[in-house]
Amino acid sequence: MIGNGMTRRTFIEAGGGVATASLAMAASPAAALLQSGGATVKGQPLPDGVKLPTVAPKRKRPDSVGFAIVGLGGYALNQMMPRFDQAERAHIAAIVSGNPNKLTRVGDAYGVPADARYSYEDFAKIASDDRIDAVYIVLPTGLHAEWVTRAFAARKHVLCEKPMALSSAECARMIAAGQRAKRKLMIAYRSHFEPYNLEAMKLMQQKAAGDIRLVRTEQSYRMGPTSPSQNWRTSRALAGGGPLEDYGIYGLQSALYLTGEMPESISATTFRPTGDPRFAEIFAHVASQWRFPSGAVAQLVTSYDSAGTNFAHVRGTTGALIMDPATSYSGQKMRLEGRDDREFTPGDPSVQFARQLDHFADAVRDNAAIRTPGEMGLRDLRLIEAIYAAAADGRTVKLAPDGTMRG
Ligand code: NDP
C-alpha cells in the first residue's frame, strides 16, 4: 500500500506509464507519492498582481456546495476564486497549496478556517472533512489525472480544469475512478456557460449562416523568454505538446460545438524551432485540417509564438459567423455577415465563471446532467492525439465517431 488507500498498482494506473519508472527510482515513499508521469506538485510564489479580497465572502444558502481549491495559481486566484461570491450555490470551503505562505494569505483573505488549509502531503485528510463536498483541480495539466484520482479516493466530487489530462488513457482512468467512487466529474470548459458561445451554438443549430461549409479557428499568443524549469507551460511532462492543449483546445471545442459534428478525418502539421528554450520540449505551432461527415472542413491553428489572437469563423452557404475574440474571459464580439447582417450582444461574458460553478453544484446536489462531463474531456484528448499522430506520420488520420483513430 502506498498510502491514501491506494495500492502501488492503482497509483501507477492513475499516474500513467512514466510513473512506473519514476516510482521505481524515487528516493523515498513520500517523493514517490507526489510524482505522476514525471510531474510533481511543487508550491509556487504568489503570482504578480494578484488582488486578494478585502471583504468577507457572502453567506450562502444551506445547500451550497463546499469546494476545496487545489493549486493557488494565476487562474484560481485571478479568475475563479473571486467569482465564487457571484455563484448561488458554491463556496470556497478549503484550499490546498504547496506554499504555506500562500495558504495563510489566501486563506485569511477568503475567510478559510485555519484547519481547512491543506498542503499536498495532507491532501488525503480531506476525506474526513465534511465541509468539503467537491474538489476543484487547478493544477498544471500533467498533474490532473493523479490529483483527480486522489480526490475521488477521498470520495469527493471533482471539477477539473481543461484540458482534462495529457492522454486519452489518463482520461479513461479518471472517468473510471469517478464511477468507482460514485462521484461527479466535470471539466471546466467555461465557454459552455458563456452567453456569446451559447448564442453562437443556437444560431448555428438554426442555420443562421446556412449549411456550414468552412470553419477557421485561431488561438495564439507570443510567450516571453522562458524555459521548462521556469514555466510549466513549456514542460512536456506538465503541458504535453503545449499550445494545442492549453489554448488551441478552445478552437477545437468551438469547431465541435459550432458544427455539432465530429470530424471523420484529420491531417496536421507541427513546428518546433531548434535552439529556443521556450520550445525545448513543446511545439511552437500546431495546425490541423478536419473533414466532417457533412462535407464541411475546418482549419485550426494555435501558436505560442505569434501575436495574440482568439477567433472562430464559421462560413455557411448563406453567410458567416465571426467571433473575435471568441472565448475570452470578457470582451467577446460576435456578428453574422451575409443575408442577415447583425451584431450580437447576448450578455455579459463574465457570468461564465459563476454559472459554471452553479451548474456543477446542481449536478452534485440535484443529480442534474453535466454539460461538460469527463467523457467530453476524453473525446477532446482523442482528437488531440489524432492531431499529433497525423502530424508525426504526415498522413491523414481517419476517425471513428467517438474520436478514436481507425487503423
Ligand atoms: P499557474 O502556473 O498560474 O498555477 C498553477 C498552480 O499549481 C501553482 O501556483 C501551484 O499552486 C500549483 N502547482 C503544483 N505543482 C506545480 C508545478 N510542478 N509547477 C507549477 N505549478 C504547480 O497555472 P494556471 O493557474 O494558469 O493554470 C492551472 C490550470 O488551469 C491548468 O490546467 C490550465 O490549463 C487551467 N487554466 C484554465 C483557464 C480557463 O480559462 N479555463 C485559464 C488558465 C488556466 P500552489 O503554489 O498553490 O501549490
Side-chain angles (χ1 to χ4, degrees), residues 39-47 69-80 96-99 102-103 120 136-144 147 160-163 188-190 231-233 238 245-246 250 327-329 352-353 356:
T40 307
V41 280
K42 188 160 173 264
Q44 304 292 319
L46 192 72
I69 315 293
V70 182
L72 305 179
Y75 188 61
L77 291 169
N78 290 321
Q79 300 302 329
M80 287 304 292
V96 182
S97 172
N99 177 335
K102 259 189 337 195
L103 279 175
Y120 296 117
Y136 175 35
I137 302 289
V138 214
L139 293 166
T141 310
L143 294 160
H144 289 183
W147 290 85
C160 175
E161 259 313 322
K162 49 53 64 179
Y189 282 132
R190 57 181 169 73
N231 182 346
W232 70 263
R233 284 187 161 81
L238 290 168
E245 285 89 333
D246 187 38
Y250 289 96
T327 59
S328 308
Y329 300 152
Q352 60 190 311
F353 307 99
Q356 173 177 263

Short mmCIF file of all heavy atoms in Angstrom, two decimals, residues 39-47 69-80 96-99 102-103 120 136-144 147 160-163 188-190 231-233 238 245-246 250 327-329 352-353 356, ligand 1:
data_model
loop_
_atom_site.label_atom_id
_atom_site.label_comp_id
_atom_site.label_asym_id
_atom_site.label_seq_id
_atom_site.Cartn_x
_atom_site.Cartn_y
_atom_site.Cartn_z
N ALA A 39 5.76 14.26 -13.50
CA ALA A 39 5.33 15.57 -13.00
C ALA A 39 5.15 15.49 -11.49
O ALA A 39 4.69 14.48 -10.97
CB ALA A 39 4.00 15.95 -13.64
N THR A 40 5.54 16.53 -10.79
CA THR A 40 5.49 16.54 -9.33
C THR A 40 4.87 17.85 -8.85
O THR A 40 5.21 18.91 -9.39
CB THR A 40 6.93 16.46 -8.77
OG1 THR A 40 7.57 15.34 -9.37
CG2 THR A 40 6.94 16.28 -7.28
N VAL A 41 4.02 17.77 -7.83
CA VAL A 41 3.49 19.02 -7.29
C VAL A 41 4.60 19.81 -6.60
O VAL A 41 5.45 19.24 -5.93
CB VAL A 41 2.33 18.79 -6.29
CG1 VAL A 41 1.03 18.52 -7.00
CG2 VAL A 41 2.65 17.72 -5.28
N LYS A 42 4.54 21.12 -6.78
CA LYS A 42 5.58 21.97 -6.20
C LYS A 42 4.96 23.35 -5.99
O LYS A 42 4.51 23.99 -6.97
CB LYS A 42 6.74 22.06 -7.21
CG LYS A 42 7.96 22.74 -6.70
CD LYS A 42 9.16 22.33 -7.56
CE LYS A 42 10.40 23.11 -7.20
NZ LYS A 42 10.64 24.26 -8.04
N GLY A 43 4.90 23.80 -4.74
CA GLY A 43 4.32 25.11 -4.45
C GLY A 43 5.05 26.22 -5.19
O GLY A 43 6.26 26.14 -5.41
N GLN A 44 4.31 27.24 -5.56
CA GLN A 44 4.86 28.37 -6.33
C GLN A 44 4.60 29.67 -5.58
O GLN A 44 3.67 29.74 -4.77
CB GLN A 44 4.16 28.44 -7.71
CG GLN A 44 4.25 27.15 -8.51
CD GLN A 44 5.66 26.83 -8.96
OE1 GLN A 44 6.40 27.71 -9.39
NE2 GLN A 44 6.06 25.56 -8.85
N PRO A 45 5.35 30.73 -5.93
CA PRO A 45 5.10 32.02 -5.27
C PRO A 45 3.73 32.58 -5.65
O PRO A 45 3.15 32.16 -6.66
CB PRO A 45 6.20 32.94 -5.84
CG PRO A 45 7.12 32.06 -6.61
CD PRO A 45 6.45 30.77 -6.88
N LEU A 46 3.25 33.52 -4.86
CA LEU A 46 2.01 34.21 -5.21
C LEU A 46 2.23 34.93 -6.55
O LEU A 46 3.20 35.67 -6.69
CB LEU A 46 1.68 35.24 -4.12
CG LEU A 46 0.29 35.87 -4.15
CD1 LEU A 46 -0.78 34.86 -3.73
CD2 LEU A 46 0.23 37.08 -3.24
N PRO A 47 1.36 34.69 -7.53
CA PRO A 47 1.58 35.36 -8.82
C PRO A 47 1.57 36.89 -8.68
O PRO A 47 0.86 37.42 -7.82
CB PRO A 47 0.40 34.90 -9.69
CG PRO A 47 -0.15 33.68 -9.01
CD PRO A 47 0.17 33.84 -7.55
N ILE A 69 -10.13 24.20 -3.20
CA ILE A 69 -9.41 24.66 -4.39
C ILE A 69 -7.99 24.10 -4.32
O ILE A 69 -7.26 24.38 -3.36
CB ILE A 69 -9.31 26.21 -4.42
CG1 ILE A 69 -10.66 26.87 -4.09
CG2 ILE A 69 -8.75 26.70 -5.76
CD1 ILE A 69 -11.75 26.68 -5.07
N VAL A 70 -7.60 23.35 -5.34
CA VAL A 70 -6.28 22.70 -5.32
C VAL A 70 -5.36 23.38 -6.34
O VAL A 70 -5.54 23.23 -7.55
CB VAL A 70 -6.40 21.19 -5.64
CG1 VAL A 70 -5.03 20.53 -5.56
CG2 VAL A 70 -7.37 20.52 -4.69
N GLY A 71 -4.38 24.14 -5.82
CA GLY A 71 -3.44 24.87 -6.69
C GLY A 71 -3.81 26.34 -6.74
O GLY A 71 -4.74 26.73 -7.45
N LEU A 72 -3.09 27.17 -5.97
CA LEU A 72 -3.43 28.59 -5.88
C LEU A 72 -2.56 29.38 -6.85
O LEU A 72 -1.68 30.14 -6.47
CB LEU A 72 -3.24 29.08 -4.44
CG LEU A 72 -4.00 28.27 -3.37
CD1 LEU A 72 -3.72 28.81 -1.98
CD2 LEU A 72 -5.51 28.27 -3.65
N GLY A 73 -2.82 29.16 -8.14
CA GLY A 73 -2.05 29.84 -9.19
C GLY A 73 -2.83 30.99 -9.81
O GLY A 73 -3.81 31.48 -9.24
N GLY A 74 -2.37 31.42 -10.98
CA GLY A 74 -2.92 32.60 -11.62
C GLY A 74 -4.41 32.47 -11.92
O GLY A 74 -5.19 33.39 -11.63
N TYR A 75 -4.82 31.36 -12.48
CA TYR A 75 -6.24 31.24 -12.87
C TYR A 75 -7.14 31.12 -11.64
O TYR A 75 -8.19 31.76 -11.58
CB TYR A 75 -6.42 30.04 -13.80
CG TYR A 75 -7.81 30.00 -14.39
CD1 TYR A 75 -8.30 31.04 -15.18
CD2 TYR A 75 -8.65 28.93 -14.13
CE1 TYR A 75 -9.58 31.01 -15.70
CE2 TYR A 75 -9.94 28.88 -14.65
CZ TYR A 75 -10.40 29.93 -15.43
OH TYR A 75 -11.67 29.89 -15.94
N ALA A 76 -6.71 30.33 -10.66
CA ALA A 76 -7.52 30.19 -9.45
C ALA A 76 -7.67 31.54 -8.75
O ALA A 76 -8.78 31.96 -8.41
CB ALA A 76 -6.88 29.17 -8.50
N LEU A 77 -6.56 32.26 -8.58
CA LEU A 77 -6.60 33.47 -7.76
C LEU A 77 -7.16 34.68 -8.51
O LEU A 77 -7.83 35.52 -7.91
CB LEU A 77 -5.19 33.80 -7.25
CG LEU A 77 -4.64 32.81 -6.21
CD1 LEU A 77 -3.15 33.06 -5.96
CD2 LEU A 77 -5.42 32.92 -4.89
N ASN A 78 -6.88 34.76 -9.81
CA ASN A 78 -7.33 35.95 -10.55
C ASN A 78 -8.73 35.81 -11.11
O ASN A 78 -9.43 36.81 -11.27
CB ASN A 78 -6.39 36.25 -11.71
CG ASN A 78 -5.04 36.76 -11.24
OD1 ASN A 78 -4.99 37.54 -10.28
ND2 ASN A 78 -3.98 36.32 -11.87
N GLN A 79 -9.12 34.59 -11.47
CA GLN A 79 -10.41 34.42 -12.14
C GLN A 79 -11.44 33.68 -11.31
O GLN A 79 -12.53 34.17 -11.10
CB GLN A 79 -10.23 33.68 -13.49
CG GLN A 79 -9.32 34.41 -14.46
CD GLN A 79 -9.80 35.81 -14.78
OE1 GLN A 79 -10.98 36.10 -14.79
NE2 GLN A 79 -8.86 36.70 -15.06
N MET A 80 -11.12 32.47 -10.89
CA MET A 80 -12.18 31.62 -10.32
C MET A 80 -12.52 31.94 -8.87
O MET A 80 -13.70 32.06 -8.53
CB MET A 80 -11.80 30.14 -10.47
CG MET A 80 -11.91 29.62 -11.89
SD MET A 80 -13.55 29.84 -12.66
CE MET A 80 -14.55 28.71 -11.71
N VAL A 96 -5.86 24.14 -0.98
CA VAL A 96 -4.75 23.18 -0.96
C VAL A 96 -3.61 23.81 -1.75
O VAL A 96 -3.81 24.22 -2.90
CB VAL A 96 -5.16 21.84 -1.60
CG1 VAL A 96 -4.00 20.84 -1.53
CG2 VAL A 96 -6.41 21.27 -0.94
N SER A 97 -2.43 23.87 -1.14
CA SER A 97 -1.31 24.53 -1.81
C SER A 97 0.01 23.96 -1.29
O SER A 97 0.08 23.46 -0.16
CB SER A 97 -1.35 26.04 -1.49
OG SER A 97 -0.19 26.68 -1.94
N GLY A 98 1.06 24.10 -2.09
CA GLY A 98 2.39 23.69 -1.67
C GLY A 98 3.18 24.85 -1.10
O GLY A 98 4.36 24.70 -0.77
N ASN A 99 2.53 26.02 -0.99
CA ASN A 99 3.22 27.20 -0.48
C ASN A 99 2.53 27.66 0.81
O ASN A 99 1.44 28.24 0.76
CB ASN A 99 3.17 28.30 -1.56
CG ASN A 99 3.80 29.60 -1.10
OD1 ASN A 99 3.87 29.89 0.09
ND2 ASN A 99 4.24 30.39 -2.06
N LYS A 102 1.29 31.23 1.05
CA LYS A 102 0.06 31.48 0.28
C LYS A 102 -1.16 30.93 1.01
O LYS A 102 -2.23 31.55 0.99
CB LYS A 102 0.18 30.81 -1.10
CG LYS A 102 0.54 31.79 -2.18
CD LYS A 102 0.48 31.33 -3.62
CE LYS A 102 0.57 29.92 -3.99
NZ LYS A 102 0.84 29.72 -5.44
N LEU A 103 -1.00 29.78 1.64
CA LEU A 103 -2.13 29.21 2.39
C LEU A 103 -2.62 30.23 3.44
O LEU A 103 -3.82 30.42 3.62
CB LEU A 103 -1.73 27.91 3.09
CG LEU A 103 -1.72 26.64 2.24
CD1 LEU A 103 -1.18 25.46 3.04
CD2 LEU A 103 -3.11 26.31 1.71
N TYR A 120 -0.18 19.61 0.04
CA TYR A 120 -0.37 18.43 -0.81
C TYR A 120 -0.14 17.15 0.00
O TYR A 120 -0.83 16.15 -0.19
CB TYR A 120 0.57 18.47 -2.03
CG TYR A 120 0.27 19.64 -2.95
CD1 TYR A 120 1.22 20.65 -3.16
CD2 TYR A 120 -0.94 19.73 -3.61
CE1 TYR A 120 0.94 21.71 -4.00
CE2 TYR A 120 -1.23 20.81 -4.45
CZ TYR A 120 -0.28 21.80 -4.63
OH TYR A 120 -0.57 22.86 -5.46
N TYR A 136 -11.81 21.23 -6.65
CA TYR A 136 -11.59 21.92 -7.93
C TYR A 136 -10.10 21.85 -8.24
O TYR A 136 -9.28 22.46 -7.54
CB TYR A 136 -12.09 23.36 -7.81
CG TYR A 136 -11.82 24.23 -9.02
CD1 TYR A 136 -11.85 23.73 -10.32
CD2 TYR A 136 -11.55 25.59 -8.86
CE1 TYR A 136 -11.60 24.55 -11.41
CE2 TYR A 136 -11.31 26.41 -9.95
CZ TYR A 136 -11.34 25.88 -11.22
OH TYR A 136 -11.09 26.70 -12.30
N ILE A 137 -9.73 21.10 -9.26
CA ILE A 137 -8.33 20.89 -9.61
C ILE A 137 -7.89 21.99 -10.58
O ILE A 137 -8.35 22.04 -11.73
CB ILE A 137 -8.12 19.50 -10.26
CG1 ILE A 137 -8.58 18.38 -9.31
CG2 ILE A 137 -6.68 19.31 -10.71
CD1 ILE A 137 -7.71 18.13 -8.11
N VAL A 138 -7.01 22.88 -10.11
CA VAL A 138 -6.50 23.98 -10.94
C VAL A 138 -4.97 23.88 -11.00
O VAL A 138 -4.27 24.88 -10.92
CB VAL A 138 -6.91 25.37 -10.41
CG1 VAL A 138 -7.14 26.33 -11.58
CG2 VAL A 138 -8.13 25.32 -9.53
N LEU A 139 -4.49 22.66 -11.14
CA LEU A 139 -3.05 22.39 -11.19
C LEU A 139 -2.59 22.35 -12.65
O LEU A 139 -3.43 22.21 -13.56
CB LEU A 139 -2.78 21.01 -10.57
CG LEU A 139 -3.02 20.87 -9.07
CD1 LEU A 139 -3.03 19.40 -8.67
CD2 LEU A 139 -1.95 21.64 -8.29
N PRO A 140 -1.28 22.39 -12.90
CA PRO A 140 -0.79 22.14 -14.27
C PRO A 140 -1.36 20.83 -14.81
O PRO A 140 -1.58 19.87 -14.04
CB PRO A 140 0.73 22.07 -14.08
CG PRO A 140 1.00 22.92 -12.88
CD PRO A 140 -0.18 22.69 -11.97
N THR A 141 -1.58 20.79 -16.10
CA THR A 141 -2.32 19.70 -16.72
C THR A 141 -1.74 18.31 -16.43
O THR A 141 -2.49 17.35 -16.21
CB THR A 141 -2.38 19.94 -18.23
OG1 THR A 141 -2.82 21.29 -18.43
CG2 THR A 141 -3.31 18.99 -18.91
N GLY A 142 -0.42 18.20 -16.42
CA GLY A 142 0.21 16.90 -16.21
C GLY A 142 -0.05 16.33 -14.83
O GLY A 142 0.26 15.17 -14.56
N LEU A 143 -0.64 17.13 -13.94
CA LEU A 143 -0.96 16.66 -12.59
C LEU A 143 -2.45 16.36 -12.42
O LEU A 143 -2.87 15.86 -11.36
CB LEU A 143 -0.52 17.72 -11.57
CG LEU A 143 1.00 17.93 -11.49
CD1 LEU A 143 1.34 19.27 -10.86
CD2 LEU A 143 1.64 16.79 -10.71
N HIS A 144 -3.26 16.66 -13.44
CA HIS A 144 -4.71 16.49 -13.29
C HIS A 144 -5.09 15.04 -12.97
O HIS A 144 -5.87 14.78 -12.06
CB HIS A 144 -5.45 16.95 -14.56
CG HIS A 144 -5.44 18.43 -14.77
ND1 HIS A 144 -6.10 19.03 -15.81
CD2 HIS A 144 -4.86 19.45 -14.08
CE1 HIS A 144 -5.93 20.34 -15.75
NE2 HIS A 144 -5.17 20.62 -14.71
N TRP A 147 -4.29 13.89 -9.35
CA TRP A 147 -4.98 14.57 -8.25
C TRP A 147 -6.49 14.44 -8.34
O TRP A 147 -7.18 14.44 -7.31
CB TRP A 147 -4.47 16.01 -8.12
CG TRP A 147 -3.07 15.95 -7.61
CD1 TRP A 147 -1.93 15.78 -8.37
CD2 TRP A 147 -2.65 15.88 -6.25
NE1 TRP A 147 -0.83 15.64 -7.55
CE2 TRP A 147 -1.24 15.71 -6.24
CE3 TRP A 147 -3.31 15.96 -5.03
CZ2 TRP A 147 -0.50 15.61 -5.06
CZ3 TRP A 147 -2.58 15.89 -3.85
CH2 TRP A 147 -1.19 15.70 -3.87
N CYS A 160 -12.62 19.63 -12.78
CA CYS A 160 -11.21 19.62 -13.21
C CYS A 160 -11.01 20.62 -14.34
O CYS A 160 -11.79 20.64 -15.29
CB CYS A 160 -10.86 18.20 -13.70
SG CYS A 160 -9.21 18.06 -14.39
N GLU A 161 -9.95 21.39 -14.24
CA GLU A 161 -9.66 22.37 -15.29
C GLU A 161 -9.36 21.68 -16.63
O GLU A 161 -9.02 20.50 -16.67
CB GLU A 161 -8.49 23.28 -14.87
CG GLU A 161 -8.94 24.63 -14.39
CD GLU A 161 -9.96 25.32 -15.28
OE1 GLU A 161 -9.86 25.22 -16.51
OE2 GLU A 161 -10.89 25.96 -14.74
N LYS A 162 -9.50 22.45 -17.70
CA LYS A 162 -9.15 21.98 -19.03
C LYS A 162 -7.65 22.12 -19.24
O LYS A 162 -7.06 22.99 -18.60
CB LYS A 162 -9.90 22.72 -20.13
CG LYS A 162 -9.90 24.25 -20.06
CD LYS A 162 -8.65 25.04 -19.95
CE LYS A 162 -7.66 24.99 -21.08
NZ LYS A 162 -6.46 25.87 -20.82
N PRO A 163 -7.02 21.40 -20.13
CA PRO A 163 -7.54 20.18 -20.71
C PRO A 163 -7.60 19.12 -19.61
O PRO A 163 -6.88 19.19 -18.62
CB PRO A 163 -6.50 19.83 -21.77
CG PRO A 163 -5.22 20.39 -21.23
CD PRO A 163 -5.61 21.64 -20.51
N ALA A 188 -13.90 21.87 -16.68
CA ALA A 188 -14.23 23.29 -16.59
C ALA A 188 -14.09 23.98 -17.96
O ALA A 188 -13.23 24.84 -18.14
CB ALA A 188 -13.35 23.96 -15.53
N TYR A 189 -14.94 23.57 -18.88
CA TYR A 189 -15.00 24.22 -20.19
C TYR A 189 -15.96 25.40 -20.08
O TYR A 189 -17.15 25.29 -20.36
CB TYR A 189 -15.51 23.22 -21.23
CG TYR A 189 -14.53 22.19 -21.72
CD1 TYR A 189 -14.87 20.84 -21.78
CD2 TYR A 189 -13.27 22.57 -22.20
CE1 TYR A 189 -13.98 19.90 -22.28
CE2 TYR A 189 -12.38 21.63 -22.69
CZ TYR A 189 -12.74 20.30 -22.74
OH TYR A 189 -11.86 19.37 -23.24
N ARG A 190 -15.40 26.55 -19.69
CA ARG A 190 -16.26 27.68 -19.31
C ARG A 190 -17.10 28.23 -20.46
O ARG A 190 -18.14 28.86 -20.24
CB ARG A 190 -15.41 28.80 -18.67
CG ARG A 190 -14.29 29.28 -19.55
CD ARG A 190 -13.45 30.36 -18.89
NE ARG A 190 -12.24 30.61 -19.66
CZ ARG A 190 -12.23 31.26 -20.82
NH1 ARG A 190 -13.33 31.76 -21.32
NH2 ARG A 190 -11.09 31.43 -21.47
N ASN A 231 8.69 27.63 -16.36
CA ASN A 231 7.27 27.77 -16.71
C ASN A 231 6.71 26.42 -17.12
O ASN A 231 7.12 25.85 -18.15
CB ASN A 231 7.15 28.78 -17.87
CG ASN A 231 5.72 29.03 -18.28
OD1 ASN A 231 4.80 28.30 -17.91
ND2 ASN A 231 5.51 30.07 -19.06
N TRP A 232 5.76 25.91 -16.32
CA TRP A 232 5.24 24.56 -16.59
C TRP A 232 4.62 24.46 -17.98
O TRP A 232 4.57 23.37 -18.55
CB TRP A 232 4.25 24.14 -15.51
CG TRP A 232 2.92 24.85 -15.49
CD1 TRP A 232 2.56 25.91 -14.72
CD2 TRP A 232 1.76 24.53 -16.28
NE1 TRP A 232 1.26 26.28 -14.98
CE2 TRP A 232 0.74 25.44 -15.94
CE3 TRP A 232 1.47 23.56 -17.24
CZ2 TRP A 232 -0.53 25.43 -16.51
CZ3 TRP A 232 0.21 23.53 -17.82
CH2 TRP A 232 -0.78 24.46 -17.46
N ARG A 233 4.15 25.58 -18.53
CA ARG A 233 3.50 25.52 -19.84
C ARG A 233 4.47 25.14 -20.96
O ARG A 233 4.05 24.86 -22.08
CB ARG A 233 2.81 26.86 -20.17
CG ARG A 233 1.51 27.04 -19.42
CD ARG A 233 0.74 28.28 -19.86
NE ARG A 233 -0.65 28.20 -19.48
CZ ARG A 233 -1.13 28.47 -18.27
NH1 ARG A 233 -0.32 28.86 -17.32
NH2 ARG A 233 -2.42 28.34 -18.02
N LEU A 238 4.37 18.42 -17.95
CA LEU A 238 3.26 19.15 -17.32
C LEU A 238 2.26 19.71 -18.33
O LEU A 238 1.11 19.99 -17.97
CB LEU A 238 3.81 20.29 -16.46
CG LEU A 238 4.54 19.83 -15.19
CD1 LEU A 238 5.29 20.98 -14.54
CD2 LEU A 238 3.56 19.22 -14.19
N GLU A 245 -3.00 21.93 -26.34
CA GLU A 245 -3.70 21.51 -25.13
C GLU A 245 -4.17 22.73 -24.32
O GLU A 245 -5.24 22.72 -23.71
CB GLU A 245 -2.78 20.67 -24.23
CG GLU A 245 -2.54 19.26 -24.72
CD GLU A 245 -1.34 19.14 -25.66
OE1 GLU A 245 -1.00 20.15 -26.32
OE2 GLU A 245 -0.76 18.05 -25.72
N ASP A 246 -3.34 23.77 -24.30
CA ASP A 246 -3.60 24.90 -23.41
C ASP A 246 -4.59 25.91 -24.01
O ASP A 246 -5.54 26.32 -23.34
CB ASP A 246 -2.27 25.59 -23.10
CG ASP A 246 -2.40 26.67 -22.05
OD1 ASP A 246 -3.18 26.47 -21.09
OD2 ASP A 246 -1.74 27.72 -22.18
N TYR A 250 -9.55 25.64 -27.18
CA TYR A 250 -10.76 26.46 -27.33
C TYR A 250 -11.24 26.43 -28.78
O TYR A 250 -12.45 26.40 -29.05
CB TYR A 250 -10.50 27.91 -26.89
CG TYR A 250 -10.35 28.02 -25.40
CD1 TYR A 250 -9.09 28.02 -24.80
CD2 TYR A 250 -11.46 28.08 -24.58
CE1 TYR A 250 -8.96 28.08 -23.43
CE2 TYR A 250 -11.34 28.15 -23.20
CZ TYR A 250 -10.07 28.15 -22.64
OH TYR A 250 -9.96 28.19 -21.27
N THR A 327 -13.46 33.40 -27.23
CA THR A 327 -13.64 32.65 -25.97
C THR A 327 -12.87 33.28 -24.81
O THR A 327 -12.36 32.57 -23.95
CB THR A 327 -13.17 31.18 -26.15
OG1 THR A 327 -11.79 31.18 -26.52
CG2 THR A 327 -13.97 30.44 -27.20
N SER A 328 -12.82 34.62 -24.79
CA SER A 328 -12.05 35.30 -23.74
C SER A 328 -12.80 35.28 -22.41
O SER A 328 -13.93 34.80 -22.33
CB SER A 328 -11.82 36.76 -24.14
OG SER A 328 -11.29 36.80 -25.43
N TYR A 329 -12.16 35.83 -21.40
CA TYR A 329 -12.84 35.99 -20.11
C TYR A 329 -13.95 37.04 -20.24
O TYR A 329 -14.97 36.99 -19.58
CB TYR A 329 -11.87 36.44 -19.02
CG TYR A 329 -10.71 35.49 -18.76
CD1 TYR A 329 -9.51 35.97 -18.27
CD2 TYR A 329 -10.85 34.13 -18.96
CE1 TYR A 329 -8.46 35.13 -17.99
CE2 TYR A 329 -9.80 33.27 -18.69
CZ TYR A 329 -8.61 33.77 -18.21
OH TYR A 329 -7.56 32.92 -17.94
N GLN A 352 -19.78 33.60 -17.03
CA GLN A 352 -19.45 32.21 -17.33
C GLN A 352 -18.84 31.47 -16.12
O GLN A 352 -19.09 30.28 -15.93
CB GLN A 352 -18.49 32.11 -18.52
CG GLN A 352 -17.17 32.82 -18.34
CD GLN A 352 -16.38 32.91 -19.65
OE1 GLN A 352 -16.22 31.92 -20.34
NE2 GLN A 352 -15.88 34.09 -19.99
N PHE A 353 -18.07 32.18 -15.31
CA PHE A 353 -17.35 31.51 -14.20
C PHE A 353 -18.34 31.04 -13.12
O PHE A 353 -18.31 29.89 -12.70
CB PHE A 353 -16.31 32.46 -13.61
CG PHE A 353 -15.38 33.05 -14.64
CD1 PHE A 353 -15.59 34.33 -15.14
CD2 PHE A 353 -14.32 32.31 -15.12
CE1 PHE A 353 -14.74 34.87 -16.10
CE2 PHE A 353 -13.46 32.84 -16.08
CZ PHE A 353 -13.68 34.12 -16.57
N GLN A 356 -20.75 28.32 -14.36
CA GLN A 356 -20.09 27.01 -14.40
C GLN A 356 -20.10 26.37 -13.00
O GLN A 356 -20.40 25.18 -12.85
CB GLN A 356 -18.66 27.22 -14.89
CG GLN A 356 -17.78 26.01 -14.84
CD GLN A 356 -16.40 26.32 -15.42
OE1 GLN A 356 -16.13 26.05 -16.56
NE2 GLN A 356 -15.54 26.90 -14.61
P1 NDP B 1 -0.28 28.67 -12.69
O1 NDP B 1 1.11 28.31 -13.07
O2 NDP B 1 -0.60 30.09 -12.54
O3 NDP B 1 -0.67 27.95 -11.31
C1 NDP B 1 -0.56 26.58 -11.12
C2 NDP B 1 -0.51 26.29 -9.63
O4 NDP B 1 -0.45 24.88 -9.48
C3 NDP B 1 0.73 26.84 -8.93
O5 NDP B 1 0.58 28.16 -8.48
C4 NDP B 1 0.88 25.88 -7.78
O6 NDP B 1 -0.01 26.25 -6.74
C5 NDP B 1 0.34 24.58 -8.33
N1 NDP B 1 1.42 23.65 -8.71
C6 NDP B 1 1.61 22.44 -8.12
N2 NDP B 1 2.66 21.81 -8.66
C7 NDP B 1 3.16 22.63 -9.62
C8 NDP B 1 4.26 22.52 -10.52
N3 NDP B 1 5.04 21.44 -10.54
N4 NDP B 1 4.51 23.53 -11.35
C9 NDP B 1 3.72 24.62 -11.36
N5 NDP B 1 2.65 24.79 -10.54
C10 NDP B 1 2.37 23.80 -9.65
O7 NDP B 1 -1.24 27.97 -13.75
P2 NDP B 1 -2.70 28.39 -14.17
O8 NDP B 1 -3.45 28.80 -12.97
O9 NDP B 1 -2.64 29.32 -15.30
O10 NDP B 1 -3.27 27.00 -14.75
C11 NDP B 1 -3.72 25.96 -13.89
C12 NDP B 1 -4.76 25.12 -14.62
O11 NDP B 1 -5.85 25.95 -15.01
C13 NDP B 1 -4.26 24.46 -15.91
O12 NDP B 1 -4.89 23.22 -16.05
C14 NDP B 1 -4.75 25.39 -17.00
O13 NDP B 1 -4.94 24.74 -18.24
C15 NDP B 1 -6.07 25.85 -16.41
N6 NDP B 1 -6.45 27.18 -16.89
C16 NDP B 1 -7.72 27.33 -17.35
C17 NDP B 1 -8.15 28.51 -17.85
C18 NDP B 1 -9.54 28.68 -18.32
O14 NDP B 1 -9.86 29.72 -18.90
N7 NDP B 1 -10.43 27.70 -18.08
C19 NDP B 1 -7.24 29.68 -17.93
C20 NDP B 1 -5.94 29.44 -17.35
C21 NDP B 1 -5.57 28.22 -16.88
P3 NDP B 1 0.47 26.27 -5.21
O15 NDP B 1 1.66 27.18 -5.16
O16 NDP B 1 -0.72 26.77 -4.51
O17 NDP B 1 0.80 24.86 -4.85
#
